[in-house]
Amino acid sequence: LTLLFIFCMLFYYPLVEFVKYFVPNYYESTRYLSLMLPICIFEGKFQILYNTMYKVLKKQKTIFILNLLSLVISIALTYTALFWFDSIIFSIYTLVIIIVLRSILSEIMLYRFLKMNKYNLIGEALVMTLFFIIINLQCTFWISFICYFSLLVTYILVKYFRNEINFKFNPINSKN
């Protein structure tokens, strides 16, 4: 799922172009979409994978603790962002941080419970997401597209040459 979600961030660029040409009044809001997309990625991963796994493993208490911890951190950071810094943008950044943190914590706890050693996937998703956010906030549209696309291709090639992914289509009944 990590690779799939990282790849899905690439669809941000055609969406921005679509909005630019067909709904130009909303073009300014696409700037914030680069922050909201990672929220969708990590929240989707949490809901599809971790939430389901914790329920299957009868670890609802763990989900409750993670959500409660996220709520407490969210209240504290949102209060800080809105009342101390008086910034809605900082509030959005804190929202991204909280959701990413909850997803990472749930992933770490699940790996520990299942005695898996896949912690590198956490770092990969985090690096790709941070890179995506930073280049989209700092660079022009086409430069950010080229940078993210190049990074994505490099990431996929490295994983392919390490034999961590495979592009072969191998249907069950291919002999017929």
Side-chain angles (χ1 to χ4, degrees), residues 97-129:
I97 291 167
I98 292 161
I99 290 175
V100 169
L101 184 65
R102 182 180 70 161
S103 180
I104 288 172
L105 285 174
S106 64
E107 194 167 353
I108 288 170
M109 292 171 74
L110 188 62
Y111 286 162
R112 283 186 183 163
F113 181 76
L114 297 174
K115 296 180 175 103
M116 294 173 60
N117 189 13
K118 295 281 187 183
Y119 297 105
N120 62 324
L121 292 176
I122 297 169
E124 292 169 4
L126 193 57
V127 166
M128 293 294 286
T129 303

Short mmCIF file of all heavy atoms in Angstrom, two decimals, residues 97-129:
data_model
loop_
_atom_site.label_atom_id
_atom_site.label_comp_id
_atom_site.label_asym_id
_atom_site.label_seq_id
_atom_site.Cartn_x
_atom_site.Cartn_y
_atom_site.Cartn_z
N ILE A 97 0.70 16.76 10.58
CA ILE A 97 1.64 16.12 11.51
C ILE A 97 0.93 15.11 12.39
O ILE A 97 1.42 13.98 12.59
CB ILE A 97 2.37 17.19 12.36
CG1 ILE A 97 3.32 17.99 11.48
CG2 ILE A 97 3.11 16.56 13.53
CD1 ILE A 97 3.85 19.25 12.13
N ILE A 98 -0.23 15.46 12.91
CA ILE A 98 -0.97 14.57 13.81
C ILE A 98 -1.42 13.30 13.09
O ILE A 98 -1.25 12.19 13.60
CB ILE A 98 -2.18 15.31 14.41
CG1 ILE A 98 -1.69 16.40 15.35
CG2 ILE A 98 -3.10 14.35 15.14
CD1 ILE A 98 -2.72 17.46 15.63
N ILE A 99 -1.96 13.44 11.91
CA ILE A 99 -2.44 12.27 11.18
C ILE A 99 -1.28 11.37 10.75
O ILE A 99 -1.36 10.15 10.85
CB ILE A 99 -3.32 12.69 9.99
CG1 ILE A 99 -4.63 13.24 10.54
CG2 ILE A 99 -3.57 11.54 9.03
CD1 ILE A 99 -5.57 13.81 9.54
N VAL A 100 -0.19 11.97 10.30
CA VAL A 100 1.00 11.18 9.94
C VAL A 100 1.56 10.49 11.18
O VAL A 100 1.91 9.30 11.13
CB VAL A 100 2.06 12.08 9.27
CG1 VAL A 100 3.39 11.36 9.14
CG2 VAL A 100 1.57 12.55 7.91
N LEU A 101 1.60 11.19 12.29
CA LEU A 101 2.10 10.61 13.54
C LEU A 101 1.25 9.44 13.99
O LEU A 101 1.77 8.39 14.39
CB LEU A 101 2.15 11.69 14.63
CG LEU A 101 2.73 11.28 15.97
CD1 LEU A 101 4.21 10.94 15.81
CD2 LEU A 101 2.55 12.38 16.99
N ARG A 102 -0.06 9.58 13.90
CA ARG A 102 -0.96 8.48 14.29
C ARG A 102 -0.75 7.26 13.38
O ARG A 102 -0.69 6.13 13.85
CB ARG A 102 -2.42 8.92 14.23
CG ARG A 102 -3.37 7.82 14.68
CD ARG A 102 -4.78 8.24 14.63
NE ARG A 102 -5.21 8.38 13.25
CZ ARG A 102 -6.47 8.38 12.88
NH1 ARG A 102 -7.42 8.30 13.75
NH2 ARG A 102 -6.77 8.50 11.60
N SER A 103 -0.61 7.51 12.10
CA SER A 103 -0.39 6.41 11.17
C SER A 103 0.95 5.71 11.45
O SER A 103 1.02 4.48 11.47
CB SER A 103 -0.42 6.93 9.74
OG SER A 103 -0.21 5.89 8.83
N ILE A 104 1.98 6.49 11.71
CA ILE A 104 3.30 5.91 11.98
C ILE A 104 3.30 5.13 13.29
O ILE A 104 3.82 4.01 13.35
CB ILE A 104 4.38 7.02 11.98
CG1 ILE A 104 4.61 7.51 10.56
CG2 ILE A 104 5.68 6.52 12.59
CD1 ILE A 104 5.49 8.73 10.46
N LEU A 105 2.69 5.69 14.32
CA LEU A 105 2.62 4.98 15.61
C LEU A 105 1.85 3.68 15.48
O LEU A 105 2.25 2.65 16.04
CB LEU A 105 1.99 5.87 16.68
CG LEU A 105 2.85 6.98 17.23
CD1 LEU A 105 2.04 7.86 18.18
CD2 LEU A 105 4.07 6.42 17.94
N SER A 106 0.74 3.71 14.76
CA SER A 106 -0.04 2.48 14.59
C SER A 106 0.73 1.44 13.79
O SER A 106 0.68 0.24 14.08
CB SER A 106 -1.39 2.77 13.95
OG SER A 106 -1.23 3.27 12.66
N GLU A 107 1.49 1.90 12.81
CA GLU A 107 2.30 0.99 12.01
C GLU A 107 3.40 0.36 12.86
O GLU A 107 3.64 -0.85 12.80
CB GLU A 107 2.90 1.74 10.82
CG GLU A 107 3.46 0.86 9.75
CD GLU A 107 3.76 1.63 8.47
OE1 GLU A 107 3.42 2.81 8.34
OE2 GLU A 107 4.36 1.02 7.57
N ILE A 108 4.07 1.16 13.65
CA ILE A 108 5.13 0.64 14.53
C ILE A 108 4.57 -0.37 15.52
O ILE A 108 5.14 -1.45 15.72
CB ILE A 108 5.83 1.81 15.27
CG1 ILE A 108 6.69 2.61 14.29
CG2 ILE A 108 6.69 1.29 16.43
CD1 ILE A 108 7.23 3.92 14.86
N MET A 109 3.44 -0.04 16.13
CA MET A 109 2.84 -0.96 17.11
C MET A 109 2.40 -2.26 16.45
O MET A 109 2.55 -3.34 17.03
CB MET A 109 1.68 -0.27 17.82
CG MET A 109 2.14 0.87 18.71
SD MET A 109 0.80 1.87 19.35
CE MET A 109 0.14 0.78 20.58
N LEU A 110 1.87 -2.17 15.24
CA LEU A 110 1.45 -3.37 14.53
C LEU A 110 2.66 -4.23 14.14
O LEU A 110 2.62 -5.45 14.29
CB LEU A 110 0.64 -3.00 13.28
CG LEU A 110 -0.02 -4.15 12.54
CD1 LEU A 110 -1.04 -4.85 13.43
CD2 LEU A 110 -0.69 -3.64 11.28
N TYR A 111 3.73 -3.60 13.68
CA TYR A 111 4.95 -4.34 13.35
C TYR A 111 5.50 -5.05 14.58
O TYR A 111 5.95 -6.20 14.50
CB TYR A 111 6.03 -3.42 12.78
CG TYR A 111 5.77 -2.95 11.36
CD1 TYR A 111 6.43 -1.85 10.86
CD2 TYR A 111 4.88 -3.60 10.52
CE1 TYR A 111 6.21 -1.41 9.56
CE2 TYR A 111 4.65 -3.17 9.24
CZ TYR A 111 5.32 -2.08 8.76
OH TYR A 111 5.10 -1.65 7.48
N ARG A 112 5.49 -4.39 15.70
CA ARG A 112 5.98 -5.01 16.94
C ARG A 112 5.11 -6.19 17.34
O ARG A 112 5.62 -7.24 17.73
CB ARG A 112 6.02 -4.00 18.08
CG ARG A 112 7.19 -3.07 18.00
CD ARG A 112 7.27 -2.20 19.21
NE ARG A 112 8.37 -1.26 19.08
CZ ARG A 112 8.50 -0.18 19.80
NH1 ARG A 112 7.61 0.11 20.73
NH2 ARG A 112 9.53 0.61 19.62
N PHE A 113 3.80 -6.02 17.25
CA PHE A 113 2.89 -7.11 17.62
C PHE A 113 3.06 -8.31 16.70
O PHE A 113 3.08 -9.45 17.16
CB PHE A 113 1.43 -6.63 17.59
CG PHE A 113 0.46 -7.69 17.97
CD1 PHE A 113 0.31 -8.05 19.30
CD2 PHE A 113 -0.29 -8.34 17.01
CE1 PHE A 113 -0.59 -9.06 19.66
CE2 PHE A 113 -1.18 -9.34 17.35
CZ PHE A 113 -1.33 -9.71 18.69
N LEU A 114 3.22 -8.05 15.40
CA LEU A 114 3.36 -9.14 14.43
C LEU A 114 4.81 -9.60 14.27
O LEU A 114 5.09 -10.49 13.48
CB LEU A 114 2.81 -8.70 13.07
CG LEU A 114 1.32 -8.39 13.04
CD1 LEU A 114 0.92 -7.83 11.68
CD2 LEU A 114 0.49 -9.61 13.39
N LYS A 115 5.71 -8.98 15.03
CA LYS A 115 7.15 -9.30 14.98
C LYS A 115 7.70 -9.20 13.56
O LYS A 115 8.39 -10.08 13.07
CB LYS A 115 7.41 -10.67 15.59
CG LYS A 115 7.06 -10.73 17.06
CD LYS A 115 7.32 -12.09 17.65
CE LYS A 115 7.07 -12.04 19.12
NZ LYS A 115 5.86 -12.60 19.59
N MET A 116 7.35 -8.09 12.91
CA MET A 116 7.83 -7.81 11.56
C MET A 116 8.89 -6.73 11.61
O MET A 116 8.87 -5.89 12.50
CB MET A 116 6.67 -7.33 10.67
CG MET A 116 5.62 -8.37 10.42
SD MET A 116 4.19 -7.70 9.54
CE MET A 116 4.90 -7.12 8.04
N ASN A 117 9.80 -6.76 10.66
CA ASN A 117 10.84 -5.75 10.60
C ASN A 117 10.75 -5.00 9.27
O ASN A 117 11.55 -5.19 8.38
CB ASN A 117 12.22 -6.39 10.77
CG ASN A 117 13.30 -5.37 10.93
OD1 ASN A 117 13.04 -4.19 11.15
ND2 ASN A 117 14.53 -5.80 10.79
N LYS A 118 9.72 -4.17 9.15
CA LYS A 118 9.49 -3.40 7.92
C LYS A 118 9.52 -1.91 8.21
O LYS A 118 8.85 -1.12 7.58
CB LYS A 118 8.13 -3.76 7.32
CG LYS A 118 8.03 -5.17 6.84
CD LYS A 118 8.69 -5.30 5.51
CE LYS A 118 8.43 -6.68 4.95
NZ LYS A 118 9.12 -6.87 3.71
N TYR A 119 10.33 -1.51 9.19
CA TYR A 119 10.37 -0.11 9.61
C TYR A 119 10.86 0.82 8.51
O TYR A 119 10.56 2.00 8.53
CB TYR A 119 11.22 0.05 10.87
CG TYR A 119 10.66 -0.70 12.04
CD1 TYR A 119 11.25 -1.89 12.48
CD2 TYR A 119 9.55 -0.24 12.71
CE1 TYR A 119 10.72 -2.58 13.55
CE2 TYR A 119 9.02 -0.92 13.80
CZ TYR A 119 9.61 -2.10 14.20
OH TYR A 119 9.09 -2.78 15.26
N ASN A 120 11.60 0.28 7.55
CA ASN A 120 12.08 1.14 6.46
C ASN A 120 10.94 1.70 5.62
O ASN A 120 11.05 2.78 5.06
CB ASN A 120 13.07 0.37 5.58
CG ASN A 120 12.44 -0.83 4.91
OD1 ASN A 120 11.60 -1.52 5.48
ND2 ASN A 120 12.87 -1.11 3.70
N LEU A 121 9.81 0.99 5.55
CA LEU A 121 8.66 1.49 4.80
C LEU A 121 8.10 2.77 5.41
O LEU A 121 7.62 3.65 4.71
CB LEU A 121 7.55 0.42 4.73
CG LEU A 121 7.87 -0.82 3.91
CD1 LEU A 121 6.73 -1.83 4.03
CD2 LEU A 121 8.13 -0.46 2.47
N ILE A 122 8.19 2.86 6.74
CA ILE A 122 7.71 4.07 7.43
C ILE A 122 8.56 5.26 6.98
O ILE A 122 8.03 6.31 6.62
CB ILE A 122 7.79 3.89 8.95
CG1 ILE A 122 6.87 2.75 9.40
CG2 ILE A 122 7.43 5.19 9.66
CD1 ILE A 122 7.07 2.33 10.84
N GLY A 123 9.87 5.08 7.00
CA GLY A 123 10.77 6.16 6.61
C GLY A 123 10.60 6.54 5.15
O GLY A 123 10.63 7.73 4.80
N GLU A 124 10.41 5.54 4.29
CA GLU A 124 10.23 5.82 2.87
C GLU A 124 8.98 6.65 2.62
O GLU A 124 9.02 7.64 1.88
CB GLU A 124 10.15 4.50 2.09
CG GLU A 124 11.45 3.73 2.06
CD GLU A 124 11.29 2.32 1.51
OE1 GLU A 124 10.17 1.95 1.07
OE2 GLU A 124 12.28 1.58 1.51
N ALA A 125 7.88 6.25 3.24
CA ALA A 125 6.63 6.99 3.06
C ALA A 125 6.76 8.40 3.61
O ALA A 125 6.28 9.37 3.00
CB ALA A 125 5.48 6.26 3.75
N LEU A 126 7.42 8.53 4.74
CA LEU A 126 7.59 9.84 5.37
C LEU A 126 8.46 10.76 4.51
O LEU A 126 8.12 11.93 4.28
CB LEU A 126 8.20 9.68 6.76
CG LEU A 126 8.16 10.87 7.67
CD1 LEU A 126 6.74 11.36 7.88
CD2 LEU A 126 8.79 10.53 9.00
N VAL A 127 9.57 10.24 4.00
CA VAL A 127 10.47 11.04 3.16
C VAL A 127 9.76 11.47 1.87
O VAL A 127 9.83 12.64 1.48
CB VAL A 127 11.77 10.26 2.84
CG1 VAL A 127 12.55 10.91 1.73
CG2 VAL A 127 12.62 10.14 4.09
N MET A 128 9.07 10.56 1.24
CA MET A 128 8.37 10.89 -0.01
C MET A 128 7.28 11.94 0.24
O MET A 128 7.12 12.87 -0.55
CB MET A 128 7.77 9.64 -0.65
CG MET A 128 8.80 8.65 -1.16
SD MET A 128 9.77 9.25 -2.54
CE MET A 128 8.58 9.14 -3.85
N THR A 129 6.57 11.81 1.34
CA THR A 129 5.51 12.76 1.66
C THR A 129 6.09 14.13 1.99
O THR A 129 5.58 15.15 1.50
CB THR A 129 4.68 12.24 2.84
OG1 THR A 129 4.14 10.95 2.49
CG2 THR A 129 3.55 13.18 3.17
#
